[in-house]
Amino acid sequence: QVQLVESGGGLVQAGGSLRLSCAASGSIFRIPTIAWYRQAPGKQREMVALITSGGSTNYADSVRDRFTISRDNAKNTVYLQMNSLKPEETAVYLCNAKDILTNSWGQGTQVTVSS
């Protein structure tokens, strides 16, 4: 499995912004899908955004137009720019890489949005 390490979480006020990073141990060029998920206590894990090896993106309806997922293949890193954050988006944010044979998760980074 690809090793993934998330970073960039922290404490922000409502309306603030954060940029999360997901750094992979190896090339991400051929991984079909890399996605950001979030999981809050007592809530089901939710897919926030994904990006394919071809650069196509998809977003949860709740974050579309506020969040942007991007890829830097040279740095083996996927980013999630989060703008206009809301308190209900407080969660652990996790990075996931999937292909036919593997399903890799990072350890997560905590995002806390205060009201």
Side-chain angles (χ1 to χ4, degrees), residues 81-103:
Q81 178 67 45
M82 306 185 295
N83 298 326
S84 301
L85 282 161
K86 304 174 181 179
E88 58 264 36
E89 293 174 316
T90 293
V92 174
Y93 284 70
L94 304 107
C95 183
N96 181 64
K98 295 179 181 178
D99 63 20
I100 294 297
L101 299 177
T102 63
N103 184 4

Side-chain angles (χ1 to χ4, degrees), residues 9-91:
L11 174 64
V12 298
Q13 294 185 0
S17 298
L18 286 172
R19 190 180 77 157
L20 307 182
S21 298
C22 172
S25 61
S27 176
I28 62 172
F29 183 76
R30 290 186 175 88
I31 298 176
T33 302
I34 300 178
W36 284 98
Y37 289 77
R38 63 189 177 195
Q39 189 164 22
K43 303 293 184 181
Q44 291 188 340
R45 188 178 63 191
E46 175 189 21
M47 190 190 75
V48 177
L50 66 82
I51 188 166
T52 69
S53 59
S56 298
T57 59
N58 281 294
Y59 298 92
D61 288 342
S62 62
V63 309
R64 188 172 292 110
D65 298 326
R66 296 187 297 114
F67 290 13
T68 302
I69 188 169
S70 61
R71 172 200 301 262
D72 187 336
N73 289 331
K75 296 182 178 179
N76 294 321
T77 301
V78 172
Y79 303 97
L80 183 67
Q81 178 67 45
M82 306 185 295
N83 298 326
S84 301
L85 282 161
K86 304 174 181 179
E88 58 264 36
E89 293 174 316
T90 293

